Amino acid sequence: FDEIIVDLATKRKQYPRKILECVIKIIKAKQE
Amino acid sequence: STTISRLKLLDTTVDTFLQKLIAAGSYQRFTDCYKCFYQLQPEMTQRIYDKFMTQLQTSVREEISDIKAEGNLEAVLNALDTIAEEGKDRKELAWRPSGKPEEDLRSTLMPYFLQQRDALQRCVRKQEAENRQLAGAVLAGRRQVEELQLQGQAQWQAWQALHRGQKELVAVLRES
Amino acid sequence: MSVDPMTYEAQFFGFTPQTCMLRIYIAFQDYLFEVMQAVEQVILKKLDGIPNCEITPVQIRKCTEKFLCFMKGRFDNLFVKMEQLFLQWILRIPPNILLPEDKSQESHSYSEEEFQLLQKEIEQLQEKYKTELCTKQALLAELEEQKLVQAKLRQTLTLFDELQNVGRNHGTSDFRDSFVFLVQNSRKLQSIRDNVEKESKRLKIS
């Protein structure tokens, strides 16, 4: 249970930023 | 009102825990439990008890230091102090993950999509303005072409008339 | 009782506070047991050194258990209080605090509809922008074409002007007028010639 929580929390911390980086790349590519 | 740092609170809490634990395990209590040995060797009992307490405290403090080092607690707790200090004026409950990642992610992404939309709107407006100017230039150019065509037309007709006149002249001259 | 998994704290610390406390509890407990064991070993060793000692190891073990049982009880009580303090004041994200990585949640939470609407709006704007760019290309193309046509037309007009100039260079200010003048002159000449011919006939006859 603990590992699941830590794993989930880690994803919550990291994934939005990673996804955001991809989205920003896509937006920039579309603009170019 | 004075906010104590989390790190200091941690150390104080552990100190208090140890003090109370040692107070609970008093020498009196120790000798009560080890009465037979105490009666035989009172000085030795005192030394063993002192050593026992010292060792227990040393081990506990070392453990806490290890945990601080492993979890980088010093920096992390200080960072949390800073974050809490920055947000201390906020009274209402802060947002917490909803458990629906796509929902939470929407708010993360929206500001960037809004920026993209604003940027696109600016581009469209700029291009529309530029096209309005170009359209004006095209209309002016069309008028210019029309003007030149009319001029050319007029010149052409004049020459045509001339040409007809020329034919008449020739006819006249030939008659004569 | 529902367990608070403290996932938001785990997001910040990288571990769950409960695990941290469990780790501390087990470590502290181990030390207590170890030190107690060491105390008992030392006492037994001391007793070994005492001749005709009546105290047996079993007795010492009982003493140890008695003291340890008491200490463990106090230890657990105190640890519960320490754990509460830790989980409440140290390893906890205050309920009114948002972590930096979640700053974007602070402003405004958006519904699915708003999100879709914005996506749609962006697509429409992209289409509109493409249209405007095509319009720009078309306008520029026409401007280029106009330049060519105008150059051609001006070339033609220049030709006419040059023709005009040819006339002017040879004394005729305006071709057309001079041409009209020419035609008039030739008509005059014709009528003079006709007159002359008539006169000569008349003279012959007379």
Side-chain angles (χ1 to χ4, degrees):
Chain A
F1 185 52
D2 181 71
E3 278 162 16
I4 292 170
I5 291 173
V6 172
D7 181 47
L8 172 94
T10 308
K11 285 183 175 133
R12 270 187 185 157
K13 186 185 190 82
Q14 295 170 355
Y15 281 25
R17 194 177 52 240
K18 286 181 181 168
I19 293 170
L20 191 57
E21 283 162 10
C22 292
V23 165
I24 289 173
K25 273 194 194 120
I26 291 169
I27 289 177
K28 283 206 164 72
K30 276 189 178 178
Q31 267 165 356
E32 277 152 28
Chain B
S1 60
T2 50
T3 46
I4 179 172
S5 81
R6 282 173 172 75
L7 199 60
K8 184 148 183 51
L9 190 53
L10 184 149
D11 292 336
T12 308
T13 309
V14 171
D15 287 346
T16 310
F17 169 81
L18 277 174
Q19 281 160 26
K20 289 184 184 290
L21 188 63
I22 288 163
S26 65
Y27 183 59
Q28 177 61 44
R29 175 91 54 193
F30 188 76
T31 52
D32 284 350
C33 291
Y34 286 95
K35 193 184 291 301
C36 49
F37 181 72
Y38 171 65
Q39 283 158 354
L40 202 63
Q41 298 267 335
E43 297 79 19
M44 177 52 71
T45 309
Q46 178 68 56
R47 282 211 302 277
I48 291 172
Y49 174 78
D50 293 345
K51 183 74 181 142
F52 162 69
M53 284 306 169
T54 310
Q55 185 57 46
L56 183 60
Q57 289 185 73
T58 308
S59 304
V60 163
R61 289 191 201 289
E62 277 170 6
E63 178 64 19
I64 288 295
S65 300
D66 291 349
I67 286 175
K68 277 183 185 175
E70 259 178 63
N72 192 23
L73 276 188
E74 197 142 341
V76 167
L77 289 176
N78 288 336
L80 184 52
D81 285 343
T82 309
I83 294 169
E85 181 60 25
E86 283 163 6
K88 71 173 187 303
D89 298 333
R90 183 200 179 108
K91 295 308 170 219
E92 69 280 4
L93 290 179
W95 173 88
R96 286 293 182 267
S98 65
K100 298 181 203 95
E102 69 281 0
E103 199 174 291
D104 297 349
L105 198 60
R106 248 196 320 260
S107 300
T108 306
L109 299 179
M110 274 302 260
Y112 293 85
F113 283 126
L114 288 168
Q115 275 176 29
Q116 183 194 15
R117 181 206 52 193
D118 297 346
L120 271 170
Q121 277 172 342
R122 283 195 299 275
C123 284
V124 167
R125 274 198 293 272
K126 180 167 165 283
Q127 197 52 60
E128 282 173 340
E130 187 184 340
N131 285 353
R132 271 195 294 278
Q133 279 190 347
L134 284 175
V138 163
L139 291 177
R142 287 179 185 173
R143 280 195 295 278
Q144 176 77 353
V145 165
E146 205 173 323
E147 179 61 31
L148 289 170
Q149 272 172 335
L150 290 175
Q151 284 179 32
Q153 201 77 24
Q155 296 263 22
W156 173 250
Q157 278 155 8
W159 279 98
Q160 288 279 46
L162 213 55
H163 184 60
R164 275 199 302 282
Q166 185 200 28
K167 277 190 179 165
E168 275 171 33
L169 178 63
V170 166
V172 164
L173 291 177
R174 188 169 289 133
E175 262 171 40
S176 62
Chain C
M1 181 188 86
S2 72
V3 173
D4 171 8
M6 297 183 87
T7 49
Y8 206 52
E9 282 72 13
Q11 182 177 322
F12 178 74
F13 289 108
F15 54 79
T16 52
Q18 293 95 330
T19 311
C20 180
M21 294 318 292
L22 181 63
R23 152 87 194 264
I24 294 174
Y25 177 79
I26 291 170
F28 282 15
Q29 184 179 245
D30 288 352
Y31 292 133
L32 181 60
F33 290 162
E34 279 166 23
V35 174
M36 282 310 306
Q37 204 169 21
V39 161
E40 186 179 79
Q41 290 307 316
V42 168
I43 290 174
L44 289 175
K45 206 174 284 176
K46 292 299 173 199
L47 290 176
D48 280 352
I50 299 170
N52 311 320
C53 174
E54 289 163 10
I55 301 172
T56 65
V58 172
Q59 276 177 290
I60 294 300
R61 171 52 53 105
K62 280 196 173 47
C63 298
T64 305
E65 279 167 359
K66 186 179 167 193
F67 185 69
L68 180 56
C69 177
F70 171 78
M71 287 297 278
K72 182 69 170 59
R74 297 295 291 142
F75 172 91
D76 285 343
N77 278 341
L78 288 168
F79 195 88
V80 164
K81 290 191 177 64
M82 181 165 81
E83 182 179 32
Q84 281 165 357
L85 253 165
F86 265 64
L87 296 184
Q88 189 61 28
W89 298 103
I90 300 172
L91 301 176
R92 178 175 203 81
I93 311 291
N96 65 325
I97 295 298
L98 199 58
L99 290 177
E101 63 262 29
D102 294 327
K103 268 281 177 276
S104 59
Q105 305 291 350
E106 203 162 37
S107 52
H108 172 67
S109 71
Y110 295 91
S111 67
E112 175 69 23
E113 293 70 31
E114 283 176 309
F115 191 77
Q116 295 306 335
L117 214 59
L118 181 61
Q119 294 298 322
K120 204 178 193 63
E121 195 180 348
I122 286 172
E123 277 163 25
Q124 287 167 354
L125 280 166
Q126 277 164 343
E127 283 315 308
K128 193 163 172 46
Y129 187 55
K130 278 182 202 157
T131 309
E132 288 301 326
L133 283 180
C134 295
T135 308
K136 174 184 175 181
Q137 296 311 322
L139 289 167
L140 288 174
E142 176 158 349
L143 282 175
E144 275 313 303
E145 205 180 323
Q146 283 180 0
K147 276 195 195 115
L148 295 177
V149 168
Q150 285 170 7
K152 264 281 181 270
L153 289 169
R154 284 201 177 86
Q155 202 179 20
T156 310
L157 290 174
T158 307
L159 183 68
F160 281 129
D161 289 347
E162 277 160 10
L163 282 175
Q164 209 78 333
N165 291 339
V166 164
R168 211 166 284 128
N169 294 343
H170 294 79
T172 51
S173 60
D174 177 304
F175 239 108
R176 192 151 43 76
D177 297 351
S178 59
F179 203 78
V180 165
F181 180 67
L182 192 61
V183 170
Q184 283 164 358
N185 274 353
S186 54
R187 283 214 175 94
K188 270 184 203 153
L189 281 172
Q190 274 175 338
S191 65
I192 291 167
R193 192 204 54 186
D194 292 350
N195 293 340
V196 167
E197 276 176 359
K198 277 185 205 142
E199 194 58 32
S200 65
K201 277 182 190 158
R202 198 173 58 75
L203 287 177
K204 273 182 195 157
I205 297 165
S206 58

